[in-house]
Amino acid sequence: MSKVNLKQLAKELNLSVSTVSRALSNSHEISQETKEKVKYLAEKLNYQPNPHAMSLRSQKTKTIAVIIPELSNNFFALAIDGIESIMQTAGYQLLIYLSHEDQQKEVSIVNKLEGRVDGVLICMATETHDISHLRGLKEKKIPIVFFDRVSNKLNTVKVITNDIESAYKATEHLIARGAQRIAYISLSLNISVDQKRMQGCLKALEDHQYTGDKKRVLSCTINDEENYQLIKKMLSSPTRPDAIFTCVERLAITTYTVCRDLRLSIPVDVKVVTFSNMPAAALLSPPLTTISQPAYEIGKAAAQAILDALNKNIVELDDEKIILPSILIERAST
Amino acid sequence: MSKVNLKQLAKELNLSVSTVSRALSNSHEISQETKEKVKYLAEKLNYQPNPHAMSLRSQKTKTIAVIIPELSNNFFALAIDGIESIMQTAGYQLLIYLSHEDQQKEVSIVNKLEGRVDGVLICMATETHDISHLRGLKEKKIPIVFFDRVSNKLNTVKVITNDIESAYKATEHLIARGAQRIAYISLSLNISVDQKRMQGCLKALEDHQYTGDKKRVLSCTINDEENYQLIKKMLSSPTRPDAIFTCVERLAITTYTVCRDLRLSIPVDVKVVTFSNMPAAALLSPPLTTISQPAYEIGKAAAQAILDALNKNIVELDDEKIILPSILIERAST
DNA sequence: CTGTTAGCGCTTTCAG
DNA sequence: CTGAAAGCGCTAACAG
């Protein structure tokens, strides 16, 4: 059973190709009778329109690109779940690209997108400074929506969480638990969310008169091994912090590992709080207080935004921030 | 800067479209000089061939479909990472589809694939019994490779792990730890991996004379709430098992939750072992002994298999099993 | 209401 | 070595 196309349907029905095409797209200038005959046969022969021919003709691909730094992080997995739930309903395909936190890769991915997708959802790579590749997309009239990690250099829809506030609250949580010296561990201050989280954290510290060595920032990288050493060094010092706020889950896990290796107990010696969407966070030893982002909803919101743009045929999206709240989940230690 | 195509290049160079096309595809019947001129201009104008036109013409899409049940499970995230690493290099795009463990959805996804992709990588949904949709793909000459969850009803390449052996060893691990009554918790015996894991577990029990109420099987579903009740009921009984082998991570987490709610301690009252690829498993309270699958390598192997088929233009893949070993990770309880 | 025709951007015979 | 022309499957302008 080779692929059935319009021509074959037309021959079978003694109609022209265009009539069949119109009948299937429910054109009002086709008789009810013909429509039914055509649709019946199409159904019977399991006719599936050739997506490439359609794209070539209509310049619409019914495909969306999703560009993320990595996949083995529950935040992104959940976000894609959310995106998929919207796109599946709308009949769009999802092309997934991983930048592996590499600007070079991100650029080459983006440059191959034209003609392939109708819109782009992106969470920028840590490394990305220059955004001219994204500007290029806008010039090519491909709508683009940022989520989580955004750039203010480009005016478009951005779906984010209330990171400053959440970080502020989480820091107050550490203070309330009696922390004396608090350290914020950053992944890369090139990331918008990292900046905001740090901002919220430091603001809380200042408001509570945590200054000097009561307030500290450790800059980590995307290299886990290096981070381990950095954190170990900090926690080996006699004036080590007794509370740590990590920007991302991965750094929290590294921190846990360091504490275990140094035989420091959590949360007695060190209190830890982090942004995280790990499914098993509740089972951690001891339970980790987390700021949980609504990843699924973020994905849905971003998908909906791009869909709206496509439906209304708006190529140039307004600069708009959709802010969804994160939730602080405190877990009593056993 | 609107999209530049062959026609424009040809005009600019005073050549015909076909010459330009041939020059770019390095045809041997084009002079070196012309080739260079063409390539230079193409580079300069950042010419990107229209993928849909190419697909329409050549019937090759340079795109692979990946169909998985869900994404928020580290196994699949890692597998896709592996697939992507191979496909990125080979210049293939990845179309991701989620079946949400629903046969209906899987079928409708598969039916829309013809003409859209060159090959399919699939991990079947729990629910899927009937595989005629996959047979259909084979008839349409689209190569298909199974990974993790496979069907023996279709002859093709299958990338799996040594589940029977791993489960056997993990069960012996429980026995060595002094377990008296061991229960295997299954997700769905319709899944190939579940069957094998159970088989390995039960074989070990038999070999060690665990019979009668020393050996038990609990059948769970994809509904977490329901599973919670089923496990709770089992663990509330006076003759409750003191060791549990769960088929998948999610059931292990549910088991942990039940134990916490019933105030049973792990691993004193109940020993737990599971297949899992959770990144933070080492930090669980208490540490969980896991059988870790080489998810990334599975993805790579599956991707490589489909790529080989496409390169050699083999449409009908031989029935072949690629078996990668899982690793039992024992963790001392603190 | 239906058919004819052109063309989306590309590759690939077939002719020079 | 290069060009002209056909056609992949589809939609849409134009013509009846």
Side-chain angles (χ1 to χ4, degrees):
Chain A
M1 182 178 73
S2 80
K3 182 95 179 140
V4 38
N5 59 18
L6 282 188
K7 213 165 156 185
Q8 294 167 43
L9 287 182
K11 197 160 77 181
E12 193 96 0
L13 291 160
N14 275 321
L15 287 169
S16 76
V17 175
S18 48
T19 305
V20 176
S21 168
R22 275 181 286 221
L24 288 173
S25 58
N26 235 325
S27 163
H28 52 272
E29 43 183 358
I30 297 288
S31 76
Q32 200 53 40
E33 196 192 359
T34 312
K35 274 187 193 173
E36 273 163 22
K37 269 198 308 192
V38 171
K39 284 183 178 170
Y40 173 77
L41 188 69
E43 181 80 11
K44 187 178 148 201
L45 298 186
N46 189 28
Y47 166 72
Q48 299 285 355
N50 183 313
H52 301 293
M54 287 180 82
S55 305
L56 187 56
R57 189 60 239 259
S58 62
Q59 308 287 14
K60 294 266 163 276
T61 63
K62 281 280 199 176
T63 304
I64 297 293
V66 181
I67 308 175
I68 53 174
E70 50 165 341
L71 209 49
S72 44
N73 173 327
N74 210 239
F75 173 78
F76 294 115
L78 286 171
I80 290 187
D81 256 358
I83 294 169
E84 197 262 357
S85 75
I86 298 285
M87 290 308 179
Q88 167 98 9
T89 315
Y92 277 76
Q93 318 290 315
L94 244 47
L95 232 23
I96 306 278
Y97 298 92
L98 307 181
S99 67
H100 297 286
E101 303 283 16
D102 178 354
Q103 152 136 332
Q104 203 64 33
K105 249 182 198 147
E106 191 181 283
V107 171
S108 87
I109 290 166
V110 167
N111 284 338
K112 293 201 181 90
L113 249 35
E114 188 178 7
R116 205 185 284 280
V117 299
D118 294 343
V120 177
L121 294 174
I122 186 170
C123 176
M124 294 192 331
T126 316
E127 268 200 356
T128 303
H129 294 77
D130 183 13
I131 59 145
S132 48
H133 55 302
L134 301 177
R135 282 229 177 72
L137 278 184
K138 257 196 122 175
E139 280 164 21
K140 287 164 193 156
K141 308 296 175 202
I142 299 178
I144 171 169
V145 167
F146 285 109
F147 66 97
D148 197 48
R149 301 184 196 165
V150 307
S151 167
N152 288 324
K153 296 183 204 151
L154 200 72
N155 287 346
T156 186
V157 173
K158 292 149 192 174
V159 182
I160 51 179
T161 46
N162 59 346
D163 288 295
I164 299 181
E165 285 173 52
S166 313
Y168 190 97
K169 278 190 198 157
T171 307
E172 285 194 319
H173 165 85
L174 291 175
I175 293 172
R177 292 291 181 95
Q180 293 300 317
R181 290 179 302 281
I182 300 181
Y184 176 84
I185 304 188
S186 118
L187 176 62
S188 160
L189 290 179
N190 191 42
I191 307 179
S192 54
V193 288
D194 202 337
Q195 284 169 15
K196 290 192 176 161
R197 289 166 188 183
M198 185 173 82
Q199 192 183 328
C201 177
L202 296 185
K203 181 71 167 52
L205 292 179
E206 277 160 30
D207 288 356
H208 290 267
Q209 281 82 46
Y210 277 63
T211 52
D213 68 347
K214 298 184 78 174
K215 172 182 124 186
R216 197 141 152 195
V217 172
L218 180 68
S219 292
C220 281
T221 69
I222 53 167
N223 181 332
D224 281 333
E225 193 46 51
E226 218 171 295
N227 296 342
Y228 178 90
Q229 296 302 337
L230 285 168
I231 295 171
K232 189 170 185 178
K233 193 180 160 201
M234 181 174 77
L235 289 180
S236 300
S237 146
T239 60
R240 62 176 173 72
D242 60 351
I244 287 179
F245 185 156
T246 67
C247 171
V248 293
E249 174 186 308
R250 183 182 290 209
L251 291 171
I253 291 180
T254 308
T255 303
Y256 263 67
T257 313
V258 171
C259 285
R260 196 190 51 195
D261 294 352
L262 290 178
R263 306 206 168 279
L264 293 172
S265 87
I266 301 172
V268 179
D269 299 321
V270 182
K271 295 155 197 68
V272 181
V273 70
T274 190
F275 278 83
S276 167
N277 304 278
M278 198 161 39
L283 303 174
L284 276 186
S285 161
L288 175 63
T289 292
T290 53
I291 305 161
S292 179
Q293 293 177 277
Y296 187 78
E297 281 69 29
I298 291 174
K300 276 176 72 168
Q304 195 57 60
I306 204 101
L307 218 55
D308 288 348
L310 294 174
N311 287 337
K312 292 186 203 141
N313 232 324
I314 302 170
V315 284
E316 187 103 357
L317 283 166
D318 285 335
D319 194 39
E320 181 195 356
K321 286 200 171 76
I322 300 176
I323 302 176
L324 301 175
S326 293
I327 306 160
L328 183 69
I329 306 180
E330 296 182 38
R331 294 197 178 84
S333 51
T334 34
Chain B
M1 185 178 73
S2 79
K3 182 96 181 141
V4 38
N5 58 20
L6 282 188
K7 212 166 159 184
Q8 294 167 43
L9 287 183
K11 198 159 77 182
E12 193 97 1
L13 291 160
N14 275 321
L15 286 170
S16 75
V17 174
S18 44
T19 305
V20 176
S21 168
R22 273 181 287 223
L24 288 172
S25 59
N26 236 324
S27 163
H28 52 271
E29 42 183 357
I30 297 291
S31 76
Q32 200 54 40
E33 197 191 358
T34 312
K35 273 187 193 173
E36 273 162 23
K37 271 198 308 191
V38 171
K39 284 181 178 171
Y40 173 77
L41 187 70
E43 182 81 12
K44 189 178 145 202
L45 299 185
N46 189 29
Y47 166 72
Q48 299 285 354
N50 182 313
H52 301 293
M54 287 178 82
S55 304
L56 187 56
R57 189 60 238 256
S58 63
Q59 309 287 15
K60 295 266 163 276
T61 61
K62 281 279 199 178
T63 304
I64 297 292
V66 181
I67 308 175
I68 53 172
E70 50 167 340
L71 209 48
S72 44
N73 173 326
N74 211 241
F75 173 78
F76 295 114
L78 286 171
I80 290 187
D81 257 358
I83 294 170
E84 198 263 357
S85 75
I86 298 285
M87 290 308 179
Q88 167 99 9
T89 315
Y92 276 77
Q93 319 289 316
L94 243 49
L95 231 24
I96 307 278
Y97 298 92
L98 306 181
S99 67
H100 298 286
E101 302 283 18
D102 177 354
Q103 152 136 332
Q104 203 65 31
K105 250 183 197 144
E106 191 180 285
V107 171
S108 87
I109 289 166
V110 167
N111 283 339
K112 292 200 181 91
L113 249 36
E114 189 178 8
R116 206 185 286 279
V117 298
D118 294 344
V120 177
L121 294 174
I122 185 170
C123 176
M124 292 193 329
T126 316
E127 267 199 356
T128 303
H129 293 78
D130 183 13
I131 58 146
S132 47
H133 55 303
L134 301 176
R135 282 230 177 73
L137 278 183
K138 258 196 122 175
E139 279 164 22
K140 287 163 193 158
K141 309 296 175 203
I142 299 177
I144 171 169
V145 167
F146 285 109
F147 67 97
D148 197 49
R149 301 185 195 163
V150 308
S151 168
N152 288 323
K153 296 183 203 151
L154 200 72
N155 287 346
T156 186
V157 174
K158 293 149 193 174
V159 182
I160 50 178
T161 46
N162 58 345
D163 289 296
I164 299 180
E165 284 173 52
S166 312
Y168 190 97
K169 278 189 198 156
T171 308
E172 285 193 319
H173 165 84
L174 291 175
I175 293 172
R177 293 292 181 94
Q180 293 301 316
R181 291 179 302 281
I182 300 181
Y184 176 84
I185 304 189
S186 118
L187 176 61
S188 160
L189 290 179
N190 190 42
I191 307 179
S192 55
V193 288
D194 202 338
Q195 285 168 16
K196 289 192 177 160
R197 289 165 188 183
M198 185 172 82
Q199 191 182 330
C201 177
L202 296 185
K203 181 71 166 52
L205 293 178
E206 277 159 31
D207 288 356
H208 291 267
Q209 281 83 45
Y210 277 64
T211 51
D213 66 349
K214 299 185 79 175
K215 172 182 124 187
R216 198 139 150 196
V217 172
L218 180 68
S219 291
C220 281
T221 69
I222 53 167
N223 180 333
D224 280 334
E225 193 46 51
E226 216 171 296
N227 296 342
Y228 179 89
Q229 296 303 338
L230 285 168
I231 295 172
K232 188 168 184 180
K233 192 180 160 200
M234 182 174 76
L235 288 180
S236 300
S237 146
T239 59
R240 61 175 173 72
D242 61 350
I244 288 179
F245 185 156
T246 68
C247 171
V248 294
E249 175 186 308
R250 183 180 289 208
L251 291 171
I253 291 180
T254 307
T255 303
Y256 263 66
T257 313
V258 170
C259 285
R260 196 189 52 194
D261 294 351
L262 290 177
R263 307 207 167 278
L264 294 172
S265 87
I266 300 172
V268 179
D269 298 321
V270 181
K271 295 154 197 67
V272 181
V273 70
T274 189
F275 278 84
S276 168
N277 305 277
M278 197 161 37
L283 303 173
L284 278 185
S285 161
L288 176 64
T289 292
T290 53
I291 305 161
S292 179
Q293 293 177 275
Y296 188 79
E297 279 69 31
I298 291 175
K300 277 177 72 168
Q304 195 57 60
I306 205 100
L307 218 54
D308 288 348
L310 294 174
N311 287 338
K312 292 186 201 142
N313 231 325
I314 302 170
V315 286
E316 188 102 359
L317 284 166
D318 284 337
D319 195 37
E320 182 194 356
K321 286 201 171 76
I322 300 176
I323 302 175
L324 301 174
S326 293
I327 306 160
L328 183 69
I329 305 180
E330 295 182 38
R331 293 196 178 85
S333 51
T334 33

